[in-house]
Amino acid sequence: MAKEAVESVRYTADVVATTPDGRVLLIERGWPPFEGAWALPGGHVDPGETSRQAAARELAEETGVRVDTADLLQLGAWDTPGRDPRGRYVTVAYLAVVPADTPITAGDDARTARWWPFDSLPEQLAFDHAAILATALRGEPADTDPAGTAA
């Protein structure tokens, strides 16, 4: 019997932080991959941490925005092979609605953090963050790969 190849998988969490007046919070990545590109705040889930806890922590570390984990709404999981050039990454994305006057401060691996109007987003987002953002803006949970094909 042939041995099955086991793929190493990394676990991350991302946050779509929005305001009631129609803006979304993006960071400019400070290093590869996608250095200089705009992305959702997020990152690796640490040992002993849930993806929800990681999402709240990463949002605070990268933007200074603090939310209670109970206020994060899970949007879905994104796991299409090739979504990250570093290898196999699976992310769980969350939605956080914060007050329109929420101040931001770039930190950690974010070069810059900025509020973007929904109708004036950057043309290119890092990774598959455009798909995650589209799901959040539709206001319904994701079925990111209903047919078993790339989303």
Side-chain angles (χ1 to χ4, degrees):
M1 177 179 234
K3 232 182 176 179
E4 285 186 44
V6 177
E7 188 175 22
S8 177
V9 177
R10 291 162 190 89
Y11 186 31
T12 61
D14 293 306
V15 181
V16 179
T18 65
T19 61
D21 65 348
R23 294 180 297 149
V24 64
L25 182 57
L26 298 176
I27 63 156
E28 182 183 10
R29 289 184 53 83
W31 59 59
F34 300 104
E35 181 176 2
W38 291 96
L40 297 169
H44 291 94
V45 176
D46 289 342
E49 190 176 49
T50 67
S51 61
R52 187 178 302 271
Q53 291 166 332
R57 176 183 51 76
E58 288 286 347
L59 181 64
E61 287 176 1
E62 293 182 353
T63 69
V65 175
R66 299 196 180 282
V67 296
D68 190 289
T69 56
D71 294 331
L72 292 170
L73 173 68
Q74 187 175 345
L75 294 168
W78 278 259
D79 65 353
T80 302
R83 65 177 298 274
D84 190 310
R86 296 170 292 186
R88 185 64 183 254
Y89 277 76
V90 175
T91 197
V92 178
Y94 293 89
L95 175 67
V97 180
V98 300
D101 60 351
T102 300
I104 54 175
T105 305
D108 196 25
D109 61 340
R111 184 180 292 165
T112 307
R114 177 177 161 194
W115 290 107
W116 289 80
F118 290 159
D119 61 358
S120 185
L121 295 171
E123 280 189 36
Q124 295 278 344
L125 294 178
F127 308 102
D128 54 359
H129 290 183
I132 296 171
L133 189 54
T135 296
L137 296 180
R138 276 196 312 270
E140 57 194 49
D143 186 356
T144 57
D145 200 7
T149 58

